[in-house]
């Protein structure tokens, strides 16, 4: 094992709460709690003042603090909000490792020698973050990452060689392993000093490999050295234009020059681009942005084509039914390589590169998007869900084809999912219909899924008649039906809760429909072939 490194660790208290304020605008000054698996993961200072604690269930936390604002845990949001903080630390000191969103560490030797001591370095970093990111933070310095993390929560600088003594008084819960801490307490081991005093061989035999790693940390010896972060290279290229661009031919020349600069910069780092962000600023300060995605590696010519198409769409699209033309000419162009990989990192198809026909289709569709906007060309993505409308998502051509919900697998599948076959036509918005029994009375479904009578006839309005061959008012006979299949979704979130019952019905003319009853109304959701 390597020697323990003197480590400086920066910790931002209640980071999930602060990230929700930075990204989603949730005020962290009020009572806020971030929940994961229906338990409090983090809470604001005001929420703690009213009795909210980590680990509480949602209902108990809201009982202690009726005005509590609840936010779902989003690791991606925490990481995105923390990236500017890490970049600000790198402006003062190099060699930063992100421990988790809200905490990062670096060797203390460099900044302490450059800034005049460990205390001065800690003060400088905290002050710099407060000024550049408006983020409150605490710094701890000790021998090793684990001890520095505990010191950061107390805002302490542990003197060199004093880490074992500092750790010896800490409770075993500081290890961050609740099952191990509970077992140690039942065995009479209450502090890290007591745990470190045990034989390493006995700990390995009794608690396994993870217990042995915890034993090393309790003794002040980390299990691995710092894995410092390499700051990303700045690959963006920008062109400030002397005269505003209002003509497509001038824009094409500027696009070619900028595309070659970007391609050369990427090649210098051994990289290639698969997703390209195009940004423009007009003389009136209007900001335009569009992201282009490509299945293969974007060459200089391909980058230039996409920039030219996009500029053509911005400058002339309004005359072709596209978005409104900018109010002034473009004075700044910026290309951002949003998706990069190693030059040899793209795996070609089994039989070689993409076919010529597919490339032609891709160029045509992206050209249409450049003129009419990204939403002009969409493709369907299949995913998971309980109804056909949940299982299909339309995404703009070139965007990431990720389903909104994970696709169902054979084991387990989505509970409450409709049985096969799947309908041939799924309506984007469910349309109202009327279902009658044999006596001419409306068919109703109770909260316990009891039907007032078997459905006998179905009638529609003029909007639905264009889709289903059912006359307005007079209706058509229902010759077969199945259901109800109930769905009670997201009952724990009142604003998102949805409760309905679904039916499959077959009409006398051979048409098969998927119906749903929601809030006492019959709705047509899909049509079977």
């Amino acid at each position: 094992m390597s020697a323990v490194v003197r480590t400086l660790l920066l910790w931002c208290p209640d980071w999930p709460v602060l990230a929700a304020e930075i990204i989603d605008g949730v005020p962290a000054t009020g009572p806020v709690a971030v929940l994961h698996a229906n338990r409090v993961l983090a809470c604001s200072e005001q929420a703690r003042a009213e009795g909210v604690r980590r680990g509480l269930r949602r209902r108990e936390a809201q009982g202690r603090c009726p005005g509590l604002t609840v936010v779902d845990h989003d690791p991606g949001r925490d990481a995105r909000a923390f990236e500017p903080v890490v970049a600000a630390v790198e402006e003062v000191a190099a060699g930063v490792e992100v421990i988790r969103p809200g905490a990062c560490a670096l060797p203390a030797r460099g900044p302490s020698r450059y800034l005049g001591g460990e205390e001065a370095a800690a003060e400088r970093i905290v002050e710099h973050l407060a000024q550049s990111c408006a983020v409150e933070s605490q710094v701890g310095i000790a021998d090793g990452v684990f001890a520095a993390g505990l010191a950061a929560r107390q805002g302490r600088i542990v003197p060199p060689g004093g880490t074992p003594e500092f750790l010896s008084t800490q409770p075993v819960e500081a290890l961050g392993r609740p099952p191990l801490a509970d077992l140690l307490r039942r065995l009479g081991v209450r502090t890290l000093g007591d745990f470190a005093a045990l034989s390493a061989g006995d700990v390995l035999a009794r608690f396994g490999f993870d217990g042995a790693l915890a034993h090393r940390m309790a003794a002040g010896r980390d299990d691995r050295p710092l894995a410092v972060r390499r700051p990303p290279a700045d690959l963006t290229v920008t062109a400030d234009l002397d005269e505003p661009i209002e003509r497509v031919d001038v824009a094409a020349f500027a696009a070619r020059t900028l595309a070659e600069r970007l391609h050369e910069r990427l090649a210098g780092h051994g990289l290639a681009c698969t997703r390209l962000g195009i940004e423009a600023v007009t003389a009136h300060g209007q900001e335009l942005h569009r992201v282009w995605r490509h299945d293969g590696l974007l060459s200089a010519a391909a980058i230039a084509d996409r920039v030219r198409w996009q500029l053509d769409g911005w400058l002339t699209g309004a005359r072709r039914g596209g978005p409104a033309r900018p109010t002034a000419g473009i004075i700044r162009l910026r290309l951002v390589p949003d998706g990069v990989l190693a030059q040899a990192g793209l795996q070609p198809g089994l039989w070689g590169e993409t076919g010529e026909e597919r490339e032609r289709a891709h160029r045509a569709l992206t050209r249409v998007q450049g003129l009419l906007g990204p939403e002009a060309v969409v493709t369907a993505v299949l995913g998971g869900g309980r109804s056909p409308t949940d299982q299909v998502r339309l995404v703009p051509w070139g965007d990431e084809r990720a389903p909104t919900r994970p696709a169902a697998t054979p084991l387990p599948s989505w509970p409450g999912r409709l049985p096969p076959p799947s309908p041939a036509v799924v309506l984007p918005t469910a349309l109202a219909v009327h279902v009658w029994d044999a006596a001419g009375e409306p068919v109703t479904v109770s909260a316990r899924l009891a039907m007032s009578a078997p459905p006998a006839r179905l009638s529609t309005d003029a909007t639905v008649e264009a889709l289903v061959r059912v006359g307005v008012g007079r209706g058509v006979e229902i010759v077969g039906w199945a259901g109800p299949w109930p769905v009670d979704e997201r009952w724990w979130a009142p604003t998102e809760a949805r409760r309905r019952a679904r039916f499959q019905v077959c009409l006398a003319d051979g048409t098969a429909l998927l119906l749903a009853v929601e809030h006492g109304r019959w709705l047509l959701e899909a049509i079977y072939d």
Side-chain angles (χ1 to χ4, degrees):
M1 291 287 184
S2 59
V4 178
V5 177
R6 190 79 175 153
T7 304
L8 182 151
L9 189 140
L10 180 133
W11 172 60
C12 299
D14 309 324
W15 181 253
V17 176
L18 191 57
E21 180 181 50
I22 296 172
I23 302 297
D24 299 333
V26 180
T29 54
V32 181
V34 178
L35 267 65
H36 177 64
N38 208 38
R39 290 185 179 273
V40 176
L41 179 70
C43 58
S44 63
E45 184 176 355
Q46 185 173 343
R48 281 194 297 272
E50 299 191 28
V52 179
R53 295 291 183 270
R54 288 190 60 181
L56 289 180
R57 291 189 176 273
R58 174 179 183 147
R59 186 167 298 178
E60 184 178 356
Q62 290 176 326
R64 295 187 181 186
C65 179
L68 185 67
T69 300
V70 175
V71 181
D72 290 333
H73 178 46
D74 184 352
R77 177 185 61 208
D78 296 350
R80 290 193 304 272
F82 194 57
E83 179 62 26
V85 175
V86 179
V89 175
E90 288 176 333
E91 294 175 1
V92 179
V96 179
E97 175 188 350
V98 178
I99 306 299
R100 63 182 180 279
C104 60
L106 64 152
R109 180 182 178 185
S112 63
R113 295 181 64 180
Y114 179 73
L115 299 172
E118 293 179 344
E119 185 175 354
E123 292 177 355
R124 174 67 181 278
I125 292 175
V126 170
E127 181 181 0
H128 182 67
L129 285 185
Q131 292 177 351
S132 61
C133 303
V135 170
E136 294 184 1
S137 59
Q138 295 180 194
V139 167
I141 301 178
D143 299 334
V145 177
F146 174 65
L150 298 181
R153 294 180 177 272
Q154 304 175 23
R156 288 186 54 179
I157 298 178
V158 181
T163 296
E165 182 181 356
F166 166 71
L167 291 176
S168 64
T169 59
Q170 302 293 324
V172 290
E173 286 77 10
L175 292 169
R177 294 165 166 82
L180 177 62
D182 180 66
L183 179 57
L184 290 175
R185 281 201 169 271
R186 287 189 279 117
L187 294 174
V189 180
R190 303 182 179 277
T191 65
L192 297 184
D194 297 337
F195 188 37
L198 300 178
S199 168
D202 293 341
V203 170
L204 178 61
R206 176 63 179 83
F207 302 106
F209 182 70
D210 186 66
L213 291 180
H215 183 258
R216 284 186 56 84
M217 292 191 298
R221 303 189 303 272
D222 280 350
D223 60 314
R224 62 171 180 83
L226 278 173
V228 299
R229 179 182 112 124
R230 182 178 180 181
D234 184 11
L235 303 174
T236 302
V237 295
T238 305
D240 292 317
L241 309 171
D242 296 333
E243 297 291 335
I245 293 179
E246 296 185 356
R247 293 167 43 194
V248 176
D249 56 345
V250 180
F253 178 78
R256 173 69 62 180
T257 304
L258 201 60
E260 291 175 354
R261 285 177 50 196
L262 175 61
H263 192 263
E264 291 176 0
R265 181 168 295 186
L266 289 171
H269 289 85
L271 301 174
C273 180
T274 62
R275 192 168 60 249
L276 176 69
I278 304 173
E279 300 177 357
V281 179
T282 69
H284 291 172
Q286 182 181 2
E287 297 183 359
L288 308 172
H289 178 74
R290 172 73 174 114
V291 176
W292 292 77
R293 187 181 178 90
H294 184 57
D295 290 336
L297 302 179
L298 286 170
S299 63
I303 294 174
D305 284 343
R306 281 149 182 81
V307 178
R308 176 171 53 83
W309 295 340
Q310 188 58 58
L311 293 175
D312 188 10
W314 282 334
L315 295 175
T316 64
R319 296 197 295 269
R320 301 168 179 165
R325 177 188 173 94
T327 57
I330 295 173
I331 62 172
R332 178 178 299 166
L333 278 176
R334 189 165 179 255
L335 301 185
V336 182
D338 190 24
V340 294
L341 43 75
Q343 181 69 36
L346 184 68
Q347 179 67 38
L350 181 62
W351 307 113
E353 298 297 334
T354 305
E356 182 180 353
E357 296 80 2
R358 182 175 178 182
E359 179 64 22
R360 261 203 319 269
H362 183 82
R363 288 171 61 89
L365 294 176
T366 50
R367 173 67 168 158
V368 173
Q369 284 185 311
L371 296 174
L372 303 180
E375 303 297 334
V377 182
V378 295
T379 58
V381 178
L382 295 179
R386 298 177 178 86
S387 64
T389 53
D390 298 333
Q391 296 166 17
V392 178
R393 172 175 174 253
L394 297 178
V395 298
W397 174 262
D399 286 5
E400 186 176 0
R401 293 173 53 81
T404 304
R405 303 180 177 186
T409 54
L411 288 174
S413 61
W414 278 82
R417 185 175 185 176
L418 280 173
S422 300
V425 178
V426 179
L427 306 184
T429 303
L431 301 176
V433 296
H434 307 283
V435 178
W436 316 92
D437 60 16
E441 297 295 327
V443 177
T444 60
V445 180
S446 69
R448 295 182 177 273
L449 302 178
M451 301 179 63
S452 60
R457 299 188 69 81
L458 181 141
S459 62
T460 66
D461 55 25
T463 304
V464 185
E465 189 181 8
L467 296 172
V468 185
R469 297 182 299 275
V470 178
V472 177
R474 58 185 175 82
V476 69
E477 182 182 0
I478 297 176
V479 297
W481 60 279
W485 291 289
V487 175
D488 191 359
E489 295 181 297
R490 302 192 66 82
W491 46 265
W492 60 88
T495 58
E496 304 174 11
R498 189 179 184 191
R499 193 169 189 268
R500 65 192 189 279
R502 298 160 299 172
F503 293 82
Q504 291 173 331
V505 300
C506 184
L507 306 182
D509 62 358
T511 304
L513 309 175
L514 174 63
L515 306 180
V517 182
E518 188 172 1
H519 301 300
R521 299 172 59 235
W522 285 87
L523 301 171
L524 171 62
E525 291 190 342
I527 304 170
Y528 291 90
D529 191 355

